[in-house]
C-alpha cells in the first residue's frame, strides 16, 4: 500500500485511495485547471476540497506542500522513478501531467514551447488581471470610490482578451487543431470573468467572437464540464 505519511497534508485530508493522484483544491479558475486536465487525461485521482473561504489553504498542513498558500496542490504517489512527488502552482502541475502522459501538448519541440508560452501568458497576465477585475467589480473593491484601479484592470483585461481574439482567428484551439493545456489553463478564467465576476458588459466581451466561440467549444467538452465542479464545494 502506498505510504503518504511523509506528507503532512495527508494527515488533514487523508487519502481513501493513496495509490491515486491526490488533488488538494477548490473549484476556482486556478483550481479547476488541474481537475479538468486530470479528467481529460483519464488519470485516476482523489480530490480533496480545501475551502479557501475558511482559509484552509493557510493551515500548516497545506502550507507544508504549497508554501504559497494558494490552491491547487498535488501529490503523485507514482512520480519520477516511482517515488511520490508533491507539487504546487497550477502551471507546473499541468506541465508535469503532460510530461507524465505525453498528452495535451504537442510532441514537436517547437510547438511544445509555443504551448508553454501560452500557459505562461495565462499565469502571468490573464489570471492576475481577471482576478483584479473580479475584486474591483464584484467584491470588496467595488466599494472604493476611486474607480481608476477598476478602469486600469478593465482596460488591460480587454487588451488581453484581444490578444486571444487575434490568436484564435481561424483556429479551433490555441494551438490550431490541438486541444492542449494552453486551452485548459484559460477556459476557467474566461468563464469566470463573464459569469461569476459578472464582467461581460464591463469588458465588452461580445466584441470578441473568436474567444466566445472557443469558450463555447471548450465548455462543451465532457472533461471540462465535469472538472469545473471538482472538488465539490460541499
Amino acid at each position: 500500500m502506498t505510504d503518504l505519511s511523509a506528507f503532512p497534508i495527508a494527515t488533514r485530508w487523508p487519502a481513501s485511495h493513496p495509490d491515486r493522484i491526490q488533488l488538494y483544491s477548490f473549484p476556482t479558475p486556478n483550481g479547476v485547471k488541474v481537475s479538468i486536465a486530470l479528467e481529460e487525461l483519464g488519470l485516476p485521482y482523489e480530490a480533496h476540497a480545501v475551502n479557501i473561504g475558511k482559509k484552509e489553504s493557510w493551515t500548516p498542513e497545506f502550507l507544508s506542500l504549497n508554501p504559497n498558500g494558494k490552491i491547487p496542490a498535488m501529490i503523485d504517489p507514482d512520480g519520477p522513478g516511482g517515488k511520490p512527488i508533491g507539487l504546487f502552482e497550477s502551471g507546473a502541475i499541468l506541465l508535469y501531467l503532460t510530461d507524465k502522459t505525453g498528452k495535451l501538448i504537442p510532441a514537436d519541440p517547437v510547438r511544445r514551447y509555443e504551448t508553454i508560452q501560452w500557459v505562461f501568458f495565462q499565469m502571468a497576465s490573464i489570471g492576475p488581471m481577471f482576478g483584479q477585475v473580479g475584486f474591483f467589480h464584484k467584491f470588496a473593491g467595488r466599494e472604493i470610490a476611486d474607480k481608476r484601479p477598476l478602469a486600469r484592470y478593465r482596460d488591460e483585461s480587454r487588451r488581453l482578451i484581444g490578444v486571444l481574439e487575434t490568436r484564435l482567428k481561424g483556429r479551433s484551439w490555441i494551438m490550431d487543431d490541438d486541444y492542449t493545456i494552453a486551452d485548459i489553463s484559460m477556459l476557467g478564467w474566461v468563464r469566470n470573468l463573464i459569469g461569476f465576476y459578472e464582467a461581460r458588459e464591463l469588458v465588452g466581451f461580445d466584441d470578441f467572437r473568436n474567444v466566445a466561440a472557443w469558450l463555447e467549444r471548450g465548455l462543451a467538452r465532457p472533461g471540462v464540464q465535469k472538472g469545473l465542479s471538482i472538488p465539490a464545494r460541499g
Side-chain angles (χ1 to χ4, degrees):
M1 184 173 180
T2 304
D3 182 9
L4 300 179
S5 62
F7 297 92
I9 195 170
T11 63
R12 186 180 180 98
W13 291 277
S16 298
H17 305 280
D19 57 324
R20 302 179 185 177
I21 288 173
Q22 302 294 305
L23 173 64
Y24 308 92
S25 189
F26 203 64
T28 69
N30 276 335
V32 300
K33 282 185 273 184
V34 178
S35 56
I36 290 171
L38 288 166
E39 287 292 328
E40 295 278 16
L41 290 166
L43 289 170
Y45 71 101
E46 183 176 359
H48 305 275
V50 179
N51 192 320
I52 58 176
K54 297 179 180 178
K55 298 185 178 181
E56 290 183 343
S57 64
W58 299 107
T59 58
E61 294 88 353
F62 187 84
L63 291 170
S64 69
L65 182 56
N66 184 352
N68 192 30
K70 304 291 185 180
I71 51 113
M74 187 193 81
I75 298 172
D76 183 0
D78 183 27
K83 297 180 180 180
I85 182 175
L87 294 169
F88 70 95
E89 295 297 343
S90 57
I93 294 173
L94 290 180
L95 288 171
Y96 171 80
L97 293 174
T98 63
D99 284 344
K100 182 180 177 72
T101 61
K103 300 177 181 178
L104 293 179
I105 198 167
D108 175 74
V110 172
R111 288 179 59 77
R112 172 183 167 84
Y113 280 110
E114 288 178 354
T115 305
I116 291 172
Q117 78 179 349
W118 285 104
V119 174
F120 286 7
F121 170 74
Q122 181 275 303
M123 294 171 64
S125 299
I126 278 186
M129 289 298 149
F130 287 12
Q132 292 298 331
V133 166
F135 175 77
F136 284 104
H137 181 62
K138 180 171 182 174
F139 298 114
R142 67 181 176 182
E143 299 173 5
I144 298 174
D146 187 346
K147 298 305 177 185
R148 284 176 295 181
L150 172 61
R152 184 264 190 272
Y153 291 117
R154 175 203 64 205
D155 293 348
E156 180 64 2
S157 293
R158 183 174 170 84
R159 184 189 73 80
L160 294 172
I161 301 170
V163 172
L164 273 183
E165 178 75 3
T166 300
R167 175 66 182 179
L168 287 164
K169 184 177 181 180
R171 293 181 169 91
S172 295
W173 306 108
I174 300 296
M175 294 303 295
D176 307 308
D177 293 328
D178 294 329
Y179 172 77
T180 68
I181 55 172
D183 302 287
I184 291 173
S185 74
M186 290 187 240
L187 283 167
W189 275 110
V190 177
R191 172 179 176 264
N192 242 44
L193 179 71
I194 64 174
F196 185 66
Y197 292 161
E198 302 173 350
R200 186 185 198 108
E201 184 176 349
L202 178 73
V203 299
F205 183 78
D206 292 334
D207 294 338
F208 303 100
R209 296 183 179 181
N210 296 327
V211 176
W214 162 84
L215 179 63
E216 184 176 356
R217 280 191 294 273
L219 294 180
R221 296 180 66 91
V224 174
Q225 279 295 307
K226 187 172 182 180
L228 285 171
S229 59
I230 295 174
R233 289 179 178 262

